[in-house]
Structure formats: C-alpha cells, structure tokens
Amino acid sequence: MRKDSTKRPPKTDEKKAAAPRRRLRAVNREQQIVDEAVNFFAEKGFSGQTRELATRLGITQPLLYRYFPTKRDLIERVFDEVYLNRESPDWSSLLTDRSRPLHDRLCDFYGSYSEMTYRYEWIRIYMFSALMGEKLNRRYIKIVEKKILTPMCAELRDYCGQPTIEEKPIRQIELDHIWVIHGGLFYYAIRKHIYHSRVSKDFAAIVSRAVAVMLAGSKAVSAELETND
Amino acid sequence: MRKDSTKRPPKTDEKKAAAPRRRLRAVNREQQIVDEAVNFFAEKGFSGQTRELATRLGITQPLLYRYFPTKRDLIERVFDEVYLNRESPDWSSLLTDRSRPLHDRLCDFYGSYSEMTYRYEWIRIYMFSALMGEKLNRRYIKIVEKKILTPMCAELRDYCGQPTIEEKPIRQIELDHIWVIHGGLFYYAIRKHIYHSRVSKDFAAIVSRAVAVMLAGSKAVSAELETND
DNA sequence: CTAGTTATTTATCATCTGATAAACTAGAGG
DNA sequence: CCTCTAGTTTATCAGATGATAAATAACTAG
C-alpha cells in the first residue's frame, strides 16, 4: 500500500508496521510465506483470502503467486509443513518397551505426542482439512491406528493377561475402545484450541489419571469378563 | 418430497429433476429452506454458496432472500434449528437417580445423548461453528458442564465414596477427567462423521465397556490415592 | 559506478458471490 | 372466467477474490 520505498528509513512505523519492505532471497521468502500461511489458515480456515494473508506478511498479494502457482498449491504446502516435514519419534518402540511399567510408557508417550500434535495450528488445520474431506486425514488415521493404537492394544492385552495379537487378532471393538481414551485425550486439545475453553494447565496430570484409571479398570473388567466371554 | 402436483405429470424428469416448480406457502417454503440449509452447511461449511443451496432446493437464489434478509440470518436460523429448537431430555435427573446402578445410568444417558447429538448434521455444524469462533459453542459447553459433567462428577464421587460436592467443590482437574471419557465417546462421532472412518456399529458396546472400565478404574485409583492425597 | 538479475509492486481481468429491484405468474377467492 | 395477492423468477449490481502481465526497483557482480 504505502510506497515509501526510497532510502529514507521510515521512522514512521505508523500503525500497521509499515514494513521496510526489504527483499528476501526466494528460499527465505517462500519459507516465510509458508510459516505465515500455516498460522493464517489455522485461524481462518482454507477459505481465508490470499489478500489478507499477503497483508499479514507485509507483501502484496500477487507476490504469493510467484512462489505458489495457485492457492491450492500453497495449501498443499501447508499440509506438508504441518504433517509431513517433521520426523516423528519412534512411538512404537516407546510403547512396547516392556522393561518399563505400561503406565509410565503411556504417560511418556502422551507427553511426547501432545507436544507435537496438540498445538494450535496442528489441531485446527487437521480439523479444517478433515471437514473438507481431505485424503490426508484418513491417511494419518491409518498411521495412528497402525503405529500407536495397535501397539497399545497389544500392550493392554499383555497387561491384562490376555492372548497376544498373534494368537487372536485385534478386533474393531478393541480398537474403538482404545480410541475412547486416545480421542478423549485428544479432545483436550480440541477443547483448548477449537472451543477455546478453559482447561487445566496440567495436562500431564490428566494423562496420568486417565491412564491409571484405564489400566486398573481394564484389568478389573477383563478379569470379570474372563468367565462369560 | 416429490411435488408434481400440477396436472401435467412431467414425464421428463431429465437429469436434474427439472422441478415442476410449484408454489409453496411461505411457512412451508421457509421450513424447506432451513431443512436443506442444515444439510448443505453441514456438508460444505458456512462458506457454502447460496446459489448452490438454491440449486439443491430447486429454486432460484434470490428466493432465499425473500425468507432470509442475509446469509448470516439463514445461518443463525440453522443454529436455532439444530441446537435450540429441540427440547432435550432431563439428563440431570437420569444421571442422578441413585435407585439404579451408575453403570446403567451412564449407558442409558449416552444412548440418549448420542441419539440426539452424534448425528451428521449436528456434529459437523457444531465443529464448523466452533472453528468460526461462534459464541454458540461456548454457551453449549457451559450447559454441558453444568447439566451433565458436574452431575457425573458428583455421582462418581459418591460411587467412589468420596466427599460430596457440597463438602468439597468440583475442581477443574475433576471436570477435565470426566471430559476425557465424555470427549472420548464424542470422538466416536467425530471419527464417524468428520473423519469418515470405519467405526464399529455397536456404539452401545463401546459405551458399556468404557463406562465399566472407568468406574472400576476410578474406584481402584481413588482407594489408592486415599493415602497420599 | 554500472549493468544485470530477480524480487516485488502496480494495474488489471474474469469470475464468483451476496444482495436488490422489478417483472412475472400460480393459485385462491369471488 | 376474472382479479388480486403473494410466491417465484429474471436481470442486474457492487464488491470480493483468485490469478496474470507488465512495470519497477533492490540487491549483486563486475
């Protein structure tokens, strides 16, 4: 907008940070755009407008199109940035390390998992894209079921003295049961970042309690069912 | 639904149900628009376009504006339709009826609650509006905490032989703990209607198991904590 | 200091989209 | 069959919005 580009360093800096409008190297500008786009789309959803995004960046809207041919391309890039470009810890091994109590493993897992995914941008972009029917989500869920929930089922079986998953494959109902606690903890992030509810700061305490209850309860119920199942 | 009321039975019915375009009384048309809008916005989100909605209804777009001054007004009406216009059962009393086992009460509650809210339109419109930052959601959550979760906490206290909520008020952490199972069960609907995941049909079985585990686990953990809390 | 490269802006399009006004007509009442 | 009411359509607008092309200017190399 304001085009005082000449050499005078704009001491003004009026109300909206009248950017000195320096040039960036292509690579840096691109990353800057992606970073801001992640924030922007997390907040506004994917119907957020390119002009508003550009304004936030302090650049003009057509500049976006130098780096991304279409808005859709930018969105794809945002997905990559949030879901793919970051390597995830080896959660399977963390979960299946039977030298440690299952309670501790689960608490550690959710500590690590929440740090990575229970973030404002992650949660919201995930939900927006799910509502849009992006394939991304289904793929992600497949991974979660395979790398996280199935191992958990196996550990829970062991914990309750039930058959291994080799002896008796995991049933949908077991997966759904694990989804209740997994989803219940995830829901903490939904309440925080999507509903903007007041939630207690101490997520670790919530996890510890939920895990303890789940383990104790599972053992009790499992023993009970032993007879009639 | 079919409205070929005029004398000529349109044998055409070409590709898009070339509606006979009958007139409706204002009240009926309005209701028809609202009904379809609920479906439409649930599917597309609130950035769905009025023209497309009109096409689905087999009417022209300006006709919408005879019944609703602005798109926003229509959306508000959709909110009313989905969240307010339906009277909800008296869940508090169902939950606090101590003449019945808590397990049964909770199972019945979730049977009733899920029937009402775990629906395609309800879930999706709820999530869309939450992402938009509508006040509606926060209001709804307040109600849930007051009418459902707080009673649940009270019953759980009683079940575990802990102080009543009059003796010792509910803490945020207790509410958050109940949110884990409540949200975990709600997450079933999210997986079904937002993620389009395959979930087991038998939701009652999931509830029964989750409730049983939660109750048994809470009792066990509560007894354990008795000493050091 | 000059010239060349390329990051960035200005100007502009075509289409979409919410909204309005006026013309039209189905159907009820007489 | 006529007439009037009100439900519906046609035509159209203004602003928004994704995208493009050409002009401009910041930085770099020589």
Side-chain angles (χ1 to χ4, degrees):
Chain A
M1 337 223 125
R2 224 149 247 293
K3 47 177 115 164
D4 36 357
S5 62
T6 43
K7 23 211 72 174
R8 89 192 109 110
K11 64 161 316 182
T12 59
D13 228 6
E14 299 191 22
K15 40 193 64 168
K16 289 214 76 180
R21 191 183 291 147
R22 233 190 55 210
R23 280 195 182 190
L24 293 183
R25 305 289 286 274
V27 204
N28 299 331
R29 179 67 82 191
E30 182 174 325
Q31 191 57 46
Q32 186 203 32
I33 290 174
V34 172
D35 290 345
E36 189 64 37
V38 167
N39 257 283
F40 178 73
F41 288 128
E43 186 182 327
K44 302 277 183 171
F46 297 108
S47 49
Q49 297 132 23
T50 54
R51 274 173 179 76
E52 193 180 339
L53 169 58
T55 302
R56 282 204 193 184
L57 281 157
I59 63 177
T60 57
Q61 179 248 8
L63 187 55
L64 296 173
Y65 287 85
R66 179 183 169 81
Y67 298 94
F68 302 95
T70 69
K71 184 182 177 183
R72 176 72 205 179
D73 286 305
L74 175 55
I75 290 174
E76 303 273 11
R77 185 80 165 65
V78 164
F79 288 152
D80 289 355
E81 189 74 10
V82 177
Y83 299 109
L84 304 178
N85 278 2
R86 35 195 79 182
E87 76 287 12
S88 52
D90 184 3
W91 285 317
S92 296
S93 2
L94 168 58
L95 288 168
T96 57
D97 171 17
R98 293 195 183 166
S99 71
R100 305 176 58 216
L102 183 51
H103 178 277
D104 296 358
R105 284 180 264 157
L106 288 170
C107 286
D108 284 358
F109 164 74
Y110 277 109
S112 166
Y113 187 73
S114 66
E115 213 167 288
M116 182 152 172
T117 61
Y118 292 14
R119 295 177 173 285
Y120 182 83
E121 309 82 24
W122 200 102
I123 293 285
R124 292 179 64 93
I125 287 181
Y126 187 73
M127 200 53 76
F128 274 123
S129 70
L131 284 164
M132 279 172 33
E134 290 292 326
K135 284 175 194 149
L136 184 79
N137 293 73
R138 309 202 53 174
R139 200 168 7 124
Y140 180 78
I141 287 185
K142 277 267 190 307
I143 294 174
V144 168
E145 290 198 340
K146 187 176 169 191
K147 302 273 185 189
I148 297 174
L149 302 184
T150 301
M152 279 189 189
C153 281
E155 295 310 304
L156 192 58
R157 283 260 192 94
D158 177 70
Y159 183 82
C160 297
Q162 292 172 326
T164 67
I165 59 176
E166 287 79 20
E167 290 167 0
K168 191 176 158 190
I170 301 280
R171 287 171 303 160
Q172 180 68 39
I173 185 86
E174 282 180 274
L175 222 44
D176 280 335
H177 182 244
I178 283 289
W179 266 116
V180 175
I181 184 167
H182 188 75
L185 292 172
F186 189 81
Y187 205 69
Y188 170 88
I190 291 180
R191 291 199 296 131
K192 182 170 179 182
H193 296 303
I194 298 184
Y195 302 162
H196 302 296
S197 291
R198 208 158 57 81
V199 295
S200 60
K201 302 258 181 202
D202 194 355
F203 179 65
I206 297 176
V207 172
S208 177
R209 184 163 175 171
V211 166
V213 167
M214 192 271 281
L215 291 180
S218 291
K219 199 170 247 173
V221 169
S222 162
E224 211 170 276
L225 288 182
E226 201 94 324
T227 52
N228 52 342
D229 184 42
Chain B
M1 281 298 143
R2 220 151 251 291
K3 47 179 122 163
D4 33 358
S5 64
T6 44
K7 19 212 76 170
R8 89 198 111 109
K11 60 154 338 170
T12 58
D13 230 6
E14 298 191 25
K15 41 192 69 167
K16 289 214 73 181
R21 193 185 288 148
R22 227 192 62 206
R23 283 188 181 195
L24 294 184
R25 304 289 287 272
V27 202
N28 299 331
R29 180 66 83 192
E30 182 175 325
Q31 190 57 48
Q32 185 204 33
I33 290 174
V34 172
D35 290 345
E36 189 65 38
V38 167
N39 257 283
F40 179 73
F41 289 128
E43 186 183 327
K44 302 278 184 173
F46 297 107
S47 49
Q49 297 131 22
T50 54
R51 274 174 178 73
E52 194 181 339
L53 169 58
T55 302
R56 284 204 192 184
L57 282 158
I59 62 177
T60 57
Q61 180 248 7
L63 186 55
L64 296 173
Y65 288 85
R66 178 182 170 82
Y67 298 95
F68 303 94
T70 68
K71 184 182 177 182
R72 177 71 206 180
D73 286 306
L74 175 55
I75 290 175
E76 303 273 12
R77 186 78 164 68
V78 164
F79 287 152
D80 288 355
E81 189 73 10
V82 177
Y83 300 109
L84 304 178
N85 279 2
R86 36 194 80 180
E87 77 285 14
S88 51
D90 183 3
W91 284 315
S92 296
S93 3
L94 168 58
L95 287 169
T96 57
D97 170 16
R98 292 194 184 166
S99 71
R100 306 176 58 215
L102 183 51
H103 178 278
D104 296 358
R105 283 180 264 158
L106 288 170
C107 286
D108 283 357
F109 165 73
Y110 277 109
S112 165
Y113 187 72
S114 67
E115 212 168 289
M116 180 152 174
T117 61
Y118 292 14
R119 296 177 172 285
Y120 182 84
E121 308 83 23
W122 200 101
I123 293 284
R124 292 179 64 93
I125 287 182
Y126 187 72
M127 200 54 77
F128 273 122
S129 71
L131 284 164
M132 279 171 34
E134 291 292 328
K135 285 174 195 151
L136 184 80
N137 292 73
R138 308 203 53 175
R139 200 165 10 124
Y140 181 78
I141 287 184
K142 277 268 190 306
I143 294 174
V144 168
E145 291 198 338
K146 187 174 170 193
K147 300 274 184 188
I148 297 174
L149 302 184
T150 301
M152 279 189 189
C153 280
E155 295 310 304
L156 192 59
R157 284 259 191 94
D158 177 68
Y159 182 83
C160 297
Q162 292 172 328
T164 67
I165 59 176
E166 287 80 20
E167 292 166 359
K168 192 177 157 190
I170 302 280
R171 287 171 304 161
Q172 180 68 38
I173 185 83
E174 283 179 274
L175 222 44
D176 280 334
H177 181 245
I178 283 289
W179 266 115
V180 175
I181 184 167
H182 188 75
L185 292 172
F186 190 80
Y187 205 69
Y188 170 89
I190 291 180
R191 292 199 296 130
K192 182 170 179 182
H193 296 303
I194 297 183
Y195 302 162
H196 302 295
S197 291
R198 207 159 58 81
V199 295
S200 59
K201 303 256 181 202
D202 195 356
F203 180 64
I206 298 176
V207 172
S208 177
R209 184 163 175 171
V211 166
V213 167
M214 192 271 281
L215 290 180
S218 290
K219 199 171 246 172
V221 169
S222 162
E224 209 170 276
L225 287 183
E226 202 94 323
T227 51
N228 54 341
D229 183 45

